[in-house]
Amino acid sequence: MSRVTVDPGRCTAYGICVGIHPEVFAVPPGSPVAVITRDVLSEDDLEDVEEAVRACPAQALHLIEG
Amino acid sequence: MSSDNDGIVIVGASAAGLSAADGLREGGYTGPLTVLDEEADPGYDRPMLSKSLLAAKEHVAPAALRTRDQLAAKQIELIAGHGAKGLDIDRRLVVTNCGEAIGWQHLVIATGVTARPVVTTGGTPLPTLRTRGDLAAVRLLATSGEPVTLVGGGFVGLEAAAALRSRGVDVTLLCANHLPLAGALGDAIAIWLHGLHLANGVRFRLGSATHRVAETPQGYDIHLADGRAEQATNVLAGIGTEPATDWLVGSGVQLDHGVVTDAAGRTNVDGVWAAGDIACRWDQSRRRHRRFEHWTHAIEQGRRVGLNIARGEATAHDAVPYVWTEQYGLTLHMLGERRPGDTDIVVEGSITAGDFVVVHGTDDELHGATICGRVRALRTLKKLLRARASLNDALGSAASA
Ligand SMILES: Cc1cc2nc3c(=O)[nH]c(=O)nc-3n(C[C@H](O)[C@H](O)[C@H](O)COP(=O)(O)OP(=O)(O)OC[C@H]3O[C@@H](n4cnc5c(N)ncnc54)[C@H](O)[C@@H]3O)c2cc1C
Ligand code: SF4
């Protein structure tokens, strides 16, 4: 089962990832980092999550495939 | 760096160039990989220049797109501060402004665009906002306590207006169109956005292009095409961009408002590819060559070119265009592309409330969507656009959501 993690030391909480997959990523008001709102990713999530990993300007996202 | 012609050279170490490098490694290319960039410290979060980095009270440097370790782990050699000055397609060499001649087997052109200059009658270019260096200059305008006049009402101009207003700067915006961004958003959303700027204290001069800018002892006299004149103390110009193709003129690579490529990113020269803002790519759905100047497009197209080279393929890049803009803390997301004459239909929420999903299309074709607040609609609409769904499908999906 694949999942994605955020590196809190790198994330700037601006939320480009949210624009690409809003059901997996969120930046709650006031949060200093993006949060993952779906622990286990489905097949359907993968393409957009992979795009978010690439689009993140801070390279703060990591996909752990399983 | 090698003088042999066995490696791959990427010119431009920003969104597209770095993604092409990653795509090459992802696709299994293990040979030499060099990325050149004329900037001393290239590859940073460019979209933030007109947003939080301009609004911030303290100077914050834009985030670097890659760390040294990330590049080293993938054996990507970054040569910063070396610009490409010429290209020899017969001998397969890139010539740099430092006098090197770097050989390549494949070359990726990813030099992006530069801000289109506005030059005063005295020959001085007005400040623009495209690079790390520009940010430092524009931040000085923001702290001067003096009013700023923005020439141009595109995304960068509007974002800069919002960022400067958040710092209490007096802002006047000159825009050639009757409403800023009306073509991209449709009148209804553009009217709301204009109102948002008015409510935040921006003054507008709409409907007239800037014709001529003259320097005066106090600043500038800006003459508009309709005969009006505007006095300005400080100015910032944002009237569009020009592809950074100077170094390619006469090289044999086909240029036409950018570097002309097929859908896979190949130019007319074997082994030479282009990606990102500079690429004027064949768009199958619109049946013409065109450029996109969007962050995720540069990344995804750059990666696709890298994969194509590594795998010996020519797979087209045909993702649904996506761009966002942030003004006064609200983010507008735009998917696909609104076309002239499109109908704009609110499928969720309300435009005046700044919380909406609007679809754009004609008859039964869905062309695009603009979303503010209701981000959950983004993926549904992206999938509908990818599937070339109809406007009715989009209306139906909203009803069932
Ligand atoms: C202020 C601003 C705000 C933006 N906001 C958004 C936004 O909110 N959303 C969005 O989707 N997009 C936004 N964009 C657009 C986005 O930044 C671009 O689409 C993206 O940066 C394009 O990447 P690129 O790699 O193609 O080109 P660029 O980022 O322009 O990079 C080109 C690189 O090539 C280098 N170079 C140029 N000439 C040479 C040469 N001769 N030799 C060597 N190197 C050279 C440059 O130094 C640069 O590093 C914004 C752009 C700006 C300027
Ligand atoms: S795109 Fe990257 S830096 Fe931005 S919020 Fe998402 S994880 Fe954080």
Side-chain angles (χ1 to χ4, degrees):
Chain A
M1 278 178 298
S2 299
R3 57 197 185 86
V4 61
T5 60
V6 185
D7 178 344
R10 302 192 58 82
C11 175
T12 58
Y14 179 67
I16 290 175
C17 51
V18 183
I20 298 173
H21 200 328
E23 286 118 79
V24 169
F25 304 102
V27 182
S31 170
V33 291
V35 296
I36 307 295
T37 55
R38 184 173 286 169
D39 290 337
V40 176
L41 303 177
S42 70
E43 263 315 292
D44 175 63
D45 292 326
L46 280 181
E47 192 179 332
D48 285 339
V49 169
E50 285 169 4
E51 181 177 337
V53 170
R54 293 190 289 267
C56 170
Q59 297 284 289
L61 297 173
H62 297 281
L63 182 67
I64 299 162
E65 279 172 276
Chain B
M1 183 183 1
S2 77
S3 55
D4 305 333
N5 298 77
D6 59 351
I8 295 177
V9 174
I10 298 171
V11 187
S14 179
L18 293 171
S19 302
D22 284 347
L24 277 154
R25 292 299 188 220
E26 182 189 343
Y29 172 71
T30 54
L33 182 47
T34 306
V35 190
L36 289 184
D37 200 292
E38 67 186 7
E39 274 196 62
D41 204 356
Y44 45 85
D45 190 352
R46 196 177 304 285
M48 293 312 266
L49 298 179
S50 51
K51 302 180 180 76
S52 67
L53 298 180
L54 181 55
K57 287 219 164 53
E58 301 296 323
H59 175 75
V60 184
L65 298 182
R66 300 289 183 275
T67 61
R68 234 179 257 251
D69 291 348
Q70 284 167 339
L71 294 172
K74 292 186 181 173
Q75 291 187 294
I76 298 169
E77 186 187 6
L78 174 65
I79 307 181
H82 293 225
K85 205 177 73 177
L87 177 65
D88 182 335
I89 59 171
D90 300 318
R91 288 157 63 212
R92 304 201 154 236
L93 296 172
V94 174
V95 179
T96 74
N97 55 2
C98 304
E100 301 119 317
I102 306 174
W104 44 267
Q105 187 192 7
H106 286 272
L107 176 80
V108 182
I109 299 169
T111 46
V113 297
T114 53
R116 181 174 299 153
V118 178
V119 180
T120 65
T121 49
T124 312
L126 300 183
T128 51
L129 184 52
R130 178 82 199 172
T131 65
R132 184 196 281 280
D134 295 340
L135 175 68
V138 176
R139 283 185 56 81
L140 285 179
L141 294 183
T143 48
S144 68
E146 293 169 347
V148 174
T149 299
L150 299 167
V151 179
F155 288 118
V156 174
L158 291 170
E159 289 181 358
L164 291 171
R165 283 304 302 145
S166 77
R167 302 187 60 187
V169 177
D170 182 292
V171 174
T172 301
L173 194 140
L174 314 179
C175 175
N177 299 326
H178 70 289
L179 265 179
L181 299 182
L185 303 175
D187 277 2
I189 301 174
I191 288 169
W192 162 76
L193 187 62
H194 177 223
L196 188 64
H197 281 270
L198 287 173
N200 281 281
V202 176
R203 296 191 307 135
F204 283 86
R205 294 285 174 273
L206 294 175
S208 192
T210 294
H211 176 57
R212 188 163 55 86
V213 182
E215 280 153 292
T216 64
Q218 293 74 36
Y220 306 88
D221 275 342
I222 304 178
H223 300 271
L224 303 178
D226 64 3
R228 285 179 294 175
E230 181 75 23
Q231 284 173 350
T233 318
N234 289 312
V235 289
L236 173 63
I239 59 157
T241 57
E242 283 173 4
T245 50
D246 304 12
W247 64 285
L248 296 165
V249 172
S251 66
V253 172
Q254 191 190 346
L255 305 178
D256 185 10
H257 304 288
V259 175
V260 179
T261 76
D262 66 5
R266 292 178 294 192
T267 70
N268 61 316
V269 177
D270 189 37
V272 179
W273 306 67
D277 282 10
I278 199 171
C280 193
R281 162 175 75 79
W282 176 253
D283 180 357
Q284 185 59 31
S285 63
R286 304 291 290 274
R287 306 212 54 78
R288 61 184 169 95
H289 285 95
R290 40 106 36 108
R291 290 191 303 110
F292 287 94
E293 296 185 34
H294 307 156
W295 186 253
T296 56
H297 175 265
I299 288 169
E300 293 302 301
Q301 198 204 6
R303 168 176 178 260
R304 175 52 59 197
V305 162
L307 290 175
N308 279 342
I309 298 172
R311 295 175 179 164
E313 293 176 357
T315 304
H317 170 76
D318 60 358
V320 173
Y322 166 66
V323 62
W324 76 94
T325 177
E326 188 207 318
Q327 296 166 33
Y328 306 107
L330 293 174
T331 303
L332 281 179
H333 304 265
M334 286 148 275
L335 284 168
E337 269 185 302
R338 188 185 181 277
R339 299 186 195 176
D342 272 358
T343 311
D344 311 301
I345 303 172
V346 180
V347 292
E348 272 185 47
S350 124
I351 295 176
T352 49
D355 183 44
F356 55 83
V357 178
V358 171
V359 291
H360 313 289
T362 40
D363 298 332
D364 210 26
E365 271 181 48
L366 176 66
H367 294 153
T370 306
I371 295 165
C372 187
R374 307 190 169 224
V375 289
R376 282 186 170 265
L378 271 163
R379 280 187 91 232
T380 315
L381 281 158
K382 197 195 309 186
K383 286 180 184 171
L384 288 169
L385 281 159
R386 199 179 285 150
R388 303 198 195 292
S390 69
L391 202 52
N392 270 335
D393 292 334
L395 301 178
S397 82
S400 63

